[in-house]
């Protein structure tokens, strides 16, 4: 068990030399004096990783968790400044122990070039400094607390003494580290509530020690939108219950070490095996399975292939259980009401959560509609991707979550989903924007879609009576249903807006035009609005969704 | 370059932007530096993720190459496709329907077990199949039912038998297998399901709990904290509005009824006119006849919903007054007749009799409308508009046999709304006069003759005198009060003025023993009331006929104070009259205190000076006479405007024991008081009245300026009253009183109350020999008290008034002694009210 930490002291290393080293790994554990014994959560060290060009590299990574499977230690690592989806379990052979950097008391997150890096998620960083401040008592494993003192002790006593194991009673004692580190995480716009709440101790799961840490700050989308966040759950005394609208969380209030780590190893869905990117709250007993079997059509999860087979004898669905509102060629869209079809909606959300970091499954699916894009073949309508949408959005969101399943990614389906979402907005006669925060892939996809859509319009403008063609931002917004702010940001991103002789003008450079024309040649999948059979409902008149 | 320093305007989304090709604008790069004015839009990503390595690489690659390059994409965990056994486990073909797929609601709820058999189960089922009849689906159904029947604890075998409909044998087999499997199962159920939220809220942060119910909260818009509150406000508003609607409906009904009443009255008038009933004989005859018949003024219970019935009943009541004697039998007919009436009557005919009738028929004047007792809008403030039920309750004869019944032929006046509670015994806060004589005082009944302790008189209905008793700690003692002692004639001179010295009752430090009380009573420091025995002094019988409230009060006052002197009775009378001029009780009281004090003081001085045969000074005499004169003139000028004063003046003369000049002075004081009370805007009128007498006008103005502050009284009264009392003894009391005044003010701070009380007692006891030295502190007691009672601003005014009072003697060319006195007061005043800023002393 990971709790049993070897007291053998390791050689002390200079913290300064740790970097994103490219040196060879220290393969010999003996040289490191049984190094895995001291590799604990929060350590930083270069870890071998093979990039997409099949080259080995040694990016700096942080140990998030340690587990012991049949005598072999495995380390869950997060590559600093890489997306969490690349986090993985590695053996100690891939660790460069020579450059290990132990977590320090009061250690600030080292960010590269002064930029805020991707936040490391090790417990000692996640743990709020004091229980009083966060309102949650943190069941920090003894070792972790102890280890914080380790480097210091080592400094004092070179060579190191065996660590004194702390009594188990100290487990429950609140951690008395300062709150300073919290402040850097929480956006200054949101005040840190100092409510106190009863301690909630989470069960420690299996082999991996899971210290639950919660953040005191309720950082929401306020960063992105600058809106004052919901008053609803702040008043109701329940600590840090997320807001009830929308489907994404941008705060990390639930970003504890459990949700920091992928919990499902593999999902089998139809003919595909998917490697989940993020945590998903599938039933906990299923997280230990090597493969989780999902029914391709109803998305029900099963323990084993046998179960799936049994299930398929009973499940006669061959398409998502909703109304088909669009069909062109093999591409169809189904609309599913999150209230009427709870089990499918929930299963879809569980699956989607595996690939969406900021998605929250905290609340039920009632206020959402799910638009599932499928591709037809002789077996049925296979899910390709989906997006969810609030029935009533208070913030002009026309998309809550959007996902192309990994097997279908990078083939234009994402843009198709986005295009479809704007088609719906056009029918509704509204402009819309995706709910924030966007993921990296989301940002790229949306920017790409916005750019192409806007450029299409700009290049299609004909000059009237010899004058310069001109257009307002509002007009672009109305034509495309893209929200005004997104239009501006895209124009700005493309560097189209220029101030020239006392007025703003839009300039199309040759690069832009050529690039756009090339991109459009590749963009074959398009939504045909004629194939859309959709009448928007006024959900506000229906009482509760 | 100037164009570079030029600041660009904000981007306007509604302004047309011309679209240029870059090649058309060769000089564009010159303007690049001011492009920073273009707003920077947020990406919409999490800040820390925005800087991630792969994203930045992809973005920069995109910007460099225009399009993404394959190796610059964001890497993701790989997905594996083409599962070999896919074809085998997803059997069959599915043909795409021609139409768009439309699912029927509830078509999905096929009754299929949620439990899916696994390999372990398959082994068991296959084994079991040999013994008994079971198929996998049946097994799944059984497990499904068992699972769903269990909560935290698995169901017992007995319960399982109830749940399942298979053979007992099979049930037991499956049950045992299930129990064993469930025990080894890691999850809470064999059917894996997403963790549910716990009711106690402990699962708030459990990451495995998902799809929590949204709390049953009103869905309010974001960022609107007050939505719930405003929702409640709207509810309240709705309630209030609906109540307003109800009230308006009721008002409408009432006004309709009033209109009907008017028409009916008209009708009656017309009928009487036609009959020639100009004297009201027929009507009164009919009324007399009606009297026994008429139900005791009981407006029938009015059902809210049926206003027609109400109207009907009203009509009925009114009809009874009609000259034409209608039988009860044909009640319906008059109603019908009535309803036609408005149309039949020409409007001109309706208007003229209405106006002439009051003159022609004195019995039926406008007031008589009240006879009908319809709720009128005039009475609205008194009678609340109530909901139907309570209204009905009220109509249900709440007073029973004691209910007020109107007498036919009587005139009833509508209550004066503005004078409710305007009784002499109610406190000024409640709108009354707060008359001193109606305060709680010791009271002795005549039959049986005993003292009942503190009581207050009130005049009840029909002139009955009611006694309100109040409890005090000495109630038991009072019972034993020697009535003989009390009733023994008190001819001591002190007693003459004793009735005004009741202020001492408020002293908390009086002695507790009985004799002390007796002394107090005797010396009239405690008021004592005994029902009137025919008094010699009660000569003004004409007052009995007087209906005015203060008159009757006055009368009782006069009756009570059998031994009182005329001067004081005048004071009380006139003051009661002056109370009409919005005097507050405190002012009056203080004034009286002042008077009493001065009287006492001077009396003592008289005694003392007679004994000592002190020499007198002319100046004081002059002053006194002067003041007296001025007072007299004042009186002459103003008494004509004040009826009550005139009366008192007359009564005064008839009862006078003192010299006439004293009376004049006293009345003059009263007048000035009243003038002060007046504070009317028509200064001109009063000014004319005063015109002839300059010193008087000075007094008046001073008083007027002081705007009824009690302190003004403090300073005016000593001079006048002093002169009043001095007159018979014609010695130097004024000066001494003045000196005493100045003395008192300066000595104010030094004097302690206890000493004062002692002095007071000694003073008031007839036998006591008062000295000049003892008088001064006595006076000092009152002045600071009154002074301290008023705010500093009032003090300031008082000081101004004081100065103008001092004008009186000066302008009438008297000696400078009083002036000096007054001047010596000024620093004293300064001392007392040291919080007074910038005293305006001219």
């Amino acid at each position: 068990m990971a709790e049993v930490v070897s007291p053998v002291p390791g050689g002390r290393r200079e913290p300064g030399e740790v970097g994103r080293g490219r040196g060879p790994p220290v393969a010999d554990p003996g040289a490191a004096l049984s190094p895995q014994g001291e590799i604990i959560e929060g350590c930083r060290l270069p870890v071998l990783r093979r990039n997409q060009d099949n080259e080995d590299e040694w990016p700096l990574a942080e140990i998030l968790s340690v587990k012991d499977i049949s005598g072999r230690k495995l380390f869950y690592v997060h590559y600093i400044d890489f997306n969490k989806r690349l986090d993985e379990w590695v053996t100690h052979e891939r660790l460069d122990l020579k450059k290990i950097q132990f977590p320090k008391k009061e250690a600030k997150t080292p960010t590269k070039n002064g930029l805020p890096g991707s936040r490391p998620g090790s417990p000692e960083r996640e743990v709020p400094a004091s229980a009083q401040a966060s309102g949650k008592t943190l069941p920090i494993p003894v070792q972790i607390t102890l280890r914080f003192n380790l480097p210091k002790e080592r400094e004092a006593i070179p060579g190191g003494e065996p660590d004194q194991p702390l009594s188990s009673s100290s487990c429950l004692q609140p951690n008395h580290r300062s709150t300073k580190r919290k402040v850097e995480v929480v956006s200054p716009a949101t005040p840190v509530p100092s409510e106190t709440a009863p301690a909630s101790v989470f069960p420690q799961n299996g082999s991996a020690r899971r210290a639950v840490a919660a953040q005191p700050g309720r950082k929401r989308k306020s960063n992105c939108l600058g809106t004052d966040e919901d008053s609803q759950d702040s008043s109701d005394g329940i600590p840090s219950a997320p807001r009830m609208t929308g489907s994404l969380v941008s705060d990390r209030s639930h970003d504890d070490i459990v949700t920091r780590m992928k919990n499902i190893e593999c999902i089998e869905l139809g003919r595909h095996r998917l490697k989940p990117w993020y945590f998903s709250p599938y039933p906990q007993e299923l997280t230990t399975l090597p493969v989780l079997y999902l029914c391709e059509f109803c998305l029900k999860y099963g323990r084993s292939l046998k179960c799936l087979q049994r299930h398929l004898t009973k499940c006669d669905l061959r398409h998502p259980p909703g109304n088909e509102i669009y069909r062109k060629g093999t591409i169809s869209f189904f609309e599913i009401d999150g209230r009427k079809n709870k089990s499918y909606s929930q299963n879809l959300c569980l699956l989607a959560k595996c690939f969406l970091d900021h998605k929250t499954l905290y609340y039920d699916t009632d206020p959402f509609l799910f638009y599932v894009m499928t591709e037809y073949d002789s077996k049925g309508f296979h899910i390709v991707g989906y997006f969810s949408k609030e029935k009533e959005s208070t913030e002009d969101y026309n998309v809550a979550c959007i996902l192309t399943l990994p097997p279908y990614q990078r083939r234009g389906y994402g843009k198709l989903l986005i295009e479809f979402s704007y088609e719906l907005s056009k029918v509704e006669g509204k402009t819309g924007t995706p709910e924030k925060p966007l993921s990296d892939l989301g940002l790229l996809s949306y920017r790409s879609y916005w750019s192409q859509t806007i450029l299409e319009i700009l290049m299609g403008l004909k000059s009237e009576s010899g004058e310069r063609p001109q257009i307002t931002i509002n007009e672009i917004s109305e034509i495309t249903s893209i929200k005004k702010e997104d239009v501006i940001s895209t124009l700005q991103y493309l560097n189209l807006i220029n101030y020239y002789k006392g007025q703003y003008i839009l300039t199309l450079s040759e690069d832009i035009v050529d690039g756009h024309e090339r991109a459009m040649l590749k963009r074959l999948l398009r939504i045909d609005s004629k194939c859309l059979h959709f009448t928007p409902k006024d959900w506000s008149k229906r009482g509760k969704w | 370059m100037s164009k570079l320093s030029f600041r660009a305007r904000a981007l306007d989304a509604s302004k047309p932007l011309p679209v240029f090709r870059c090649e058309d604008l060769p000089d564009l790069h010159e303007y690049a530096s001011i492009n920073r004015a273009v707003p920077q839009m947020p990406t919409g990503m999490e800040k820390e993720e925005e800087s991630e390595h792969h994203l930045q690489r992809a973005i920069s690659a995109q910007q460099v190459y225009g399009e993404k390059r394959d190796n610059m994409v964001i890497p993701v965990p790989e997905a594996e496709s083409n599962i070999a056994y896919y074809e085998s486990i997803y059997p069959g073909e599915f043909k795409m329907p021609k139409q768009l797929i439309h699912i029927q609601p509830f078509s999905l709820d096929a009754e299929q077990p949620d439990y899916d058999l696994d390999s372990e189960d398959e082994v068991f089922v296959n084994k079991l199949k040999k013994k008994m009849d079971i198929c996998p689906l049946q097994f799944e159904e059984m497990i499904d039912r068992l699972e769903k029947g269990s909560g935290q604890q698995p169901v017992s075998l007995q319960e399982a038998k109830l749940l399942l409909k298979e053979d007992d044998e099979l049930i037991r087999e499956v049950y045992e297998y299930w129990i064993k499997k469930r025990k080894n199962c890691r999850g809470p159920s064999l059917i894996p399901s997403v963790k549910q939220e716990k009711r106690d809220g402990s699962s708030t942060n459990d990451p495995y709990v998902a799809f929590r119910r949204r709390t049953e909260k009103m869905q309010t818009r974001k960022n609107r904290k007050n939505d719930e509150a405003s929702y409640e406000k709207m509810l309240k508003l709705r309630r209030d509005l609906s109540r307003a609607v109800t009230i308006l409906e009721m008002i409408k009904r009432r006004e309709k009824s009033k209109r009907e009443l008017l028409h009916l009255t008209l009708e009656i008038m017309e009928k009487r006119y036609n009959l020639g009933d100009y004297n009201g004989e027929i009507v009164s005859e009919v009324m007399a006849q009606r009297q026994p018949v008429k139900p005791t003024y009981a407006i029938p219970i009015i059902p809210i919903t049926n206003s027609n019935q109400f109207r009907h009943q009203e009509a009925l009541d009114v009809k009874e007054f009609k000259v034409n004697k209608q039988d009860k039998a044909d009640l319906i007919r008059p109603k019908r007749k009535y309803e036609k009436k408005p149309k039949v009557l020409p409007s001109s005919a309706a208007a003229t009799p209405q106006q002439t009738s009051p003159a022609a028929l004195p019995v039926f004047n406008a007031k008589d409308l009240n006879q009908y007792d319809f709720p009128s809008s005039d009475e609205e403030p008194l009678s609340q508009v109530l909901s139907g039920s309570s209204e009905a309750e009220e109509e249900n004869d709440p007073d029973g046999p004691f209910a007020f019944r109107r007498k036919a032929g009587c005139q009833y006046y509508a209550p004066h709304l503005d004078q409710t509670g305007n009784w002499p015994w109610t406190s000024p806060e409640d709108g009354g006069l707060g008359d001193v004589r109606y305060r709680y005082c010791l009271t002795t009944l005549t039959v049986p003759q005993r003292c009942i302790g503190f009581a207050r008189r009130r005049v009840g209905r029909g002139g009955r005198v009611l006694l309100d008793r109040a409890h005090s700690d000495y109630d038991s003692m009072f019972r034993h009060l020697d009535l003989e002692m009390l009733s023994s004639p008190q001819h001591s001179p002190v007693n003459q003025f004793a009735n005004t010295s009741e202020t001492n009752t408020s002293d908390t430090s009086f002695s507790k023993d009985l004799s002390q009380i007796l002394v107090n009573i005797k010396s009239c420091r405690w008021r004592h009331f005994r029902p009137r025995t025919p008094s010699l002094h009660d000569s003004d019988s004409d007052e009995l006929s007087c209906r005015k409230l203060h008159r009757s009060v006055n009368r009782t006052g006069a009756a009570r104070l059998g031994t009182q002197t005329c001067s004081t009775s005048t004071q009380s009378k006139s003051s009661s009259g002056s109370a009409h001029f919005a005097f507050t009780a405190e002012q009056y009281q203080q004034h009286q205190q002042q008077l009493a004090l001065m009287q006492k003081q001077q009396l003592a001085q008289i005694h003392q000076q007679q004994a000592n045969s002190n020499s007198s000074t002319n100046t004081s005499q002059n002053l006194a006479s002067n003041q007296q004169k001025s007072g007299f003139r004042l009186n002459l000028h103003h008494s004509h405007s004040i009826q009550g004063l005139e009366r008192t003046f007359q009564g005064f003369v008839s009862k006078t024991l003192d010299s006439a000049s004293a009376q004049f002075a006293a009345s003059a004081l009263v007048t000035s008081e009243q003038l002060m009370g007046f504070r009317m805007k028509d200064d001109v009128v009063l000014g004319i009245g005063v015109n002839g007498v300059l010193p008087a006008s000075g007094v008046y103005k001073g008083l007027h300026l002081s705007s009824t502050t009690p302190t003004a009284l403090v300073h005016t009264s000593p001079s006048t009253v002093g002169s009043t009392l001095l007159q018979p003894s014609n010695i130097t009391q004024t000066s001494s009183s003045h000196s005493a005044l100045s003395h008192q003010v300066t000595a104010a701070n030094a004097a302690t109350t206890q000493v004062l009380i002692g002095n007071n007692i000694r003073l008031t006891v007839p036998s006591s020999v008062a000295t000049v030295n003892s008088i001064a502190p006595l006076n000092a007691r009152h002045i600071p008290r009154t002074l301290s009672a008023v705010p500093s601003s009032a003090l300031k005014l008082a000081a101004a008034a004081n100065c103008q009072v001092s004008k009186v003697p000066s302008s009438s060319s008297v000696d400078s002694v009083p002036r000096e006195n007054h001047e010596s007061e000024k620093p004293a005043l300064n001392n007392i009210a040291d919080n007074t800023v910038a005293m305006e002393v001219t």
Side-chain angles (χ1 to χ4, degrees), chain A residues 16 43 86 174 178 190 200 232 271 284 309 438 447 457 475:
Chain A
C43 286
L86 299 178
S178 93
T190 51
S200 58
Q232 295 162 336
R271 14 176 154 253
Q284 212 166 344
Q309 280 174 325
L438 292 173
R447 267 198 186 157
I457 288 169
E475 279 166 1

Side-chain angles (χ1 to χ4, degrees), chain B residues 802-813:
Chain B
N802 188 23
C803 281
Q804 276 169 331
V805 168
S806 69
K807 270 184 198 166
V808 179
S810 65
S811 61
S812 54
S813 67

